Amino acid sequence: MAQVAQGPGWSGGSLPVRAHDLLLSFAGQVDDDALADARELLAAAEVDRTLDFLVGCLVAGHIPISAAQRGELDALSAPAYLDRSLFNRLIVDDSAAIPRHRFAAEVPGTESAAQGVTDAAHRVLDALPDVRSVWAVWRLTPAGAVSGPVPHRVVLVGVGPAGFPTATAYRLEHTLRRVGVRASVEALRDGAQAPDYHHTAMQYATQVPFGAHAAIAPARPAAQLSASRLPAVPPGPAPRPGPPTATRMPAVNPPSMPRLEQPSGPRLPAPVNPPSVPRLEPPSRSRMPVAGPPSVPRLEPPSLSRTPPAPPPNRIPPGPPSMSRMP
């Protein structure tokens, strides 16, 4: 049966924290990418969209849930003002076989689960409050209806009462994704009962040192694990890291260097100024009158007086030839 975490302060916990613990109960049942998207919505305090998205994944993947998970969904839907029409399509079956997952600390041909997490974790974990411990492990079995590739890295983070599990899970997973490390981050609250999925993962997990916990042993023996809850975290709140104190180094005076004197030699004569050359003024050019075009006398056309034409000479029309009268 899938478990829903119910630790101290569960009944009076805030709505985002209760939704976060509900998402923990679905680890291994819902695919990793879907849970990562739901945690991103929850980190933005969008509880209604988180629950709507979760119910949609359960219905689309035909994933059976327990009666305890259905009861917590019903309890969170009222204050989140959810539309419960999709809840009727949920499959509630306590007798359904819960998938059992296998984990390993190391996988042949693959880097250690903690490799890459150490460098990326200290950038964000030092800025998050009350982070107690970080563990990493490989999961060898697929999860959810649309599973990603295996082996899959799982990072378990222990958060104290003063911490924020919703923000811690999202910030660390987002930081790992930016540096190319694909992992599912599960933030577990101190004092809350964790599901069997996380207990099994802790049996093979390797501790990731960071901040004040860098000197802790890199791995935890499986014999020290409890069968009912996660390994106990160090008692008392973690000391708040203060600004790093720099060791004051004694001031060291630089070695005195001998002063170099300019060698004495014959003094050079003062530079001779070049002779002054009188400035030649350009010759003044008298302004010449501008010659215009030559004047051409205007030719007047001859005046033609209109003279009547002379009459033609009188012509005597030729008469017929005179013929002499013959006798």
Side-chain angles (χ1 to χ4, degrees):
M1 177 185 298
Q3 300 171 339
V4 179
Q6 294 184 0
W10 168 262
S11 58
S14 63
L15 197 61
V17 173
R18 294 179 61 184
H20 171 81
D21 291 338
L22 180 62
L23 292 179
L24 289 178
S25 68
F26 286 105
Q29 291 181 263
V30 181
D31 57 281
D32 304 303
D33 292 337
L35 286 179
D37 294 339
R39 290 191 179 98
E40 183 176 357
L41 293 173
L42 189 58
E46 298 185 5
V47 181
D48 52 348
R49 295 182 60 188
T50 302
L51 298 177
D52 277 338
F53 180 76
L54 177 61
V55 173
C57 292
L58 296 173
V59 173
H62 303 283
I63 301 174
I65 63 176
S66 65
Q69 290 173 325
R70 173 59 189 269
E72 186 61 21
L73 279 173
D74 293 338
L76 294 177
S77 63
Y81 302 101
L82 293 182
D83 183 7
R84 297 175 49 85
S85 59
L86 198 61
F87 281 48
N88 299 328
R89 300 175 57 182
L90 291 172
I91 304 174
V92 181
D93 188 2
D94 286 332
S95 62
I98 302 300
R100 299 296 178 181
H101 295 279
R102 294 183 294 110
F103 298 89
E106 296 181 358
V107 178
T110 310
E111 63 183 9
S112 173
Q115 185 175 355
V117 180
T118 306
D119 297 336
H122 76 276
R123 304 176 185 176
V124 61
L125 292 179
D126 291 342
L128 293 172
D130 207 1
V131 176
R132 302 296 181 85
S133 60
V134 180
W135 303 76
V137 67
W138 288 112
R139 192 188 67 214
L140 308 179
T141 50
V146 186
S147 176
V150 291
H152 180 72
R153 184 186 279 108
V154 178
V155 178
L156 306 172
V157 183
V159 181
F164 300 95
T166 56
T168 302
Y170 168 70
R171 287 285 305 275
L172 182 55
E173 184 168 355
H174 180 69
T175 303
L176 294 176
R177 191 184 309 169
R178 291 182 59 183
V179 298
V181 178
R182 185 176 183 270
S184 296
V185 179
E186 310 282 345
L188 307 172
R189 295 188 301 117
D190 182 24
Q193 183 181 1
D196 294 337
Y197 173 88
H198 302 92
H199 281 291
T200 306
M202 284 297 300
Q203 295 178 9
Y204 303 92
T206 302
Q207 190 170 17
V208 179
F210 74 96
H213 303 278
I216 302 179
R220 188 187 186 102
Q224 298 182 8
L225 295 175
S226 172
S228 60
R229 53 174 297 174
L230 283 176
V233 296
R240 186 173 183 181
T245 58
T247 306
R248 187 173 183 181
M249 302 296 295
V252 178
N253 296 327
S256 58
M257 300 297 294
R259 185 175 181 182
L260 299 179
E261 299 292 341
Q262 187 177 3
S264 59
R267 187 172 184 180
L268 297 178
V272 179
N273 295 328
S276 59
V277 180
R279 184 176 180 181
L280 299 179
E281 297 292 338
S284 60
R285 298 179 180 180
S286 59
R287 189 172 182 181
M288 302 296 294
V290 180
S295 59
V296 180
R298 186 175 180 182
L299 299 179
E300 297 291 340
S303 60
L304 301 177
S305 59
R306 192 172 181 180
T307 304
N314 293 331
R315 293 183 180 181
I316 300 174
S322 60
M323 298 181 62
S324 62
R325 189 173 181 183
M326 298 298 294

